[in-house]
Amino acid sequence: MGEFDLIKRYFQRTASPVTHGKSLVQVGIGDDCAVLTPTLGAQLCLSSDMLVEGRHFFADVDAQSLGHKALAVNLSDLAAAGATPRAFTLALALPKVDEAWLAGFSRGLFALADAHGCELVGGDTVQGPLTICITVFGEVPKGEALLRSGAQVGDDIYVSGAVGQARLALEILRGHVQADAKADAATLVALRDRLERPTPRVNLGIALRGVASACIDVSDGLLGDLNHILQASRVGAQVQTDWIDGSLAFALGGGDDYELLFTASANKRGAVQAAAHKTNVPVTRIGLVTQQQELCLFDAAGARMDNCFSSFDHFASR
Ligand code: ADP
Ligand code: MG
């Protein structure tokens, strides 16, 4: 099968696209450029993420899960900006034409794309070591994008969902950690899904427009990613650890969580809970933004943990 047949068969869709609202796409796959008409008054948010075999996923990972994850990690960046997903491009390097793999990959990819009304508008396909690069295009009302730089002294710090489970799943798959002997099969599948089929918090990000003062998605580990907010905002933080069940190291430095980590003024506590409730994603208040430009952890007894950040650096950098 040639390159063009492959694109036509697996990536160019004949049914009309699933969109949320009006499609922006005037010209999609098949011409030299896709042509999009942005929503009047909106700003565009763009992000790219690349997944490389051996580095970001195991060679034997299920193709459908990989299609899901490749788009999910990109949608997670849009979520962190509070942007509504609109379109994406897909650049693929494939070692060979494996139709079963392509069918699974495109199924996982389009299931998530359709769930968010995000249209595939173009890409590139070449032969080479398995590599997937997606660029997503989202929109926000002018001036409403959530940035890393907006945290203010006195703001609360929150994290959505649960952190540390993707890392736990990875360590179990690698054989470094024993799965809980009491865990049933369904629990183990759910845990593995946290690693291989993450849920981008797109609706929560949108609901946090005008509520969160700063936001980032947790891809490299909570403390490392919080540090990005602190640096960009020129502030520090006090973080509690009493909300963590399971490994502190995995929760604070695990990575691959794709949860939202954000700050909001104390007078927005009600609005934060309303956003969580509306989108059906739990959020936990985990700390406070401080003037002192350092990151301090507090244990369950409320005592300051010494040299806490440096001791978790190792996990944050993996
Ligand atoms: P060009 O040579 O002009 O860059 P190509 O021949 O590489 O275009 O691709 C033909 C068309 O197919 C283009 O519209 C391109 O965007 C699209 N395309 C190529 N690869 C993919 C892919 N993996 N997914 C979606 N669209 C693709
Ligand atoms: Mg061309």
Side-chain angles (χ1 to χ4, degrees):
M1 181 170 16
E3 174 192 341
F4 299 109
D5 293 329
L6 184 159
I7 296 164
K8 199 163 180 186
R9 179 123 185 214
Y10 294 104
F11 298 112
Q12 199 163 10
R13 304 171 84 196
T14 43
S16 53
V18 175
T19 58
H20 295 171
K22 194 163 159 282
S23 174
L24 308 188
V25 181
Q26 192 185 328
V27 176
I29 293 173
D31 215 312
D32 294 305
C33 288
V35 181
L36 276 64
T37 310
T39 304
L40 209 61
Q43 286 181 311
L44 276 177
C45 299
L46 310 192
S47 182
S48 289
D49 258 304
M50 192 142 91
L51 298 184
V52 178
E53 181 184 308
R55 166 115 190 105
H56 302 102
F57 57 89
F58 298 120
D60 62 352
V61 73
D62 169 58
Q64 196 173 331
S65 297
L66 192 59
H68 173 100
K69 184 163 180 177
L71 182 59
V73 301
N74 279 279
L75 292 178
S76 180
D77 284 316
L78 290 183
T84 304
R86 297 294 192 198
F88 68 106
T89 59
L90 169 67
L92 262 184
L94 300 170
K96 60 181 190 305
V97 178
D98 176 341
E99 294 212 51
W101 188 92
L102 280 162
F105 179 84
S106 65
R107 202 178 315 122
L109 182 83
F110 283 122
L112 186 63
D114 288 350
H116 292 281
C118 195
E119 297 177 70
L120 179 59
V121 295
D124 200 14
T125 307
V126 299
Q127 208 237 323
L130 185 55
T131 306
I132 305 152
C133 182
I134 287 180
T135 299
V136 283
F137 302 72
E139 289 186 322
V140 284
K142 194 164 192 289
E144 291 187 29
L146 304 176
L147 307 178
R148 298 177 179 185
S149 54
Q152 303 286 324
V153 174
D155 282 356
D156 295 315
I157 303 171
Y158 299 86
V159 69
S160 69
V163 284
Q165 294 174 341
R167 180 60 179 269
L168 176 59
L170 181 67
E171 297 299 332
I172 291 172
L173 286 178
R174 281 174 170 169
H176 295 174
V177 168
Q178 208 68 27
D180 188 341
K182 295 188 299 280
D184 57 19
T187 308
L188 291 175
V189 168
L191 189 61
R192 189 167 175 159
D193 274 358
R194 292 288 297 167
L195 176 67
E196 294 182 350
R197 302 180 52 80
T199 305
R201 303 302 191 187
V202 170
N203 293 333
L204 178 63
I206 292 169
L208 288 172
R209 288 177 192 159
V211 176
S213 52
C215 189
I216 190 169
D217 66 317
V218 182
S219 52
D220 295 333
L222 187 146
L223 290 187
D225 287 321
L226 176 57
N227 210 32
H228 291 310
I229 288 185
L230 302 183
Q231 303 263 326
S233 304
R234 299 171 186 279
V235 292
Q238 296 180 344
V239 174
Q240 311 298 326
T241 55
D242 54 357
W243 54 276
I244 297 168
D245 57 341
S247 158
L248 272 197
F250 290 177
L252 297 176
D256 256 358
D257 299 299
Y258 302 104
E259 295 294 348
L260 295 184
L261 176 65
F262 60 97
T263 58
S265 162
N267 64 27
K268 295 273 166 72
R269 283 183 188 176
V272 168
Q273 289 311 322
H277 188 257
K278 181 176 149 193
T279 58
N280 214 8
V281 180
V283 303
T284 309
R285 184 152 52 85
I286 64 165
L288 197 64
V289 176
T290 60
Q291 180 141 36
Q292 187 79 17
Q293 287 181 32
E294 58 177 20
L295 175 44
C296 292
L297 295 181
F298 291 82
D299 68 18
R304 185 181 156 138
M305 296 161 74
D306 273 345
N307 296 328
C308 41
F309 189 69
S310 59
S311 67
F312 282 105
D313 250 1
H314 163 71
F315 298 103
S317 60
R318 277 198 282 180

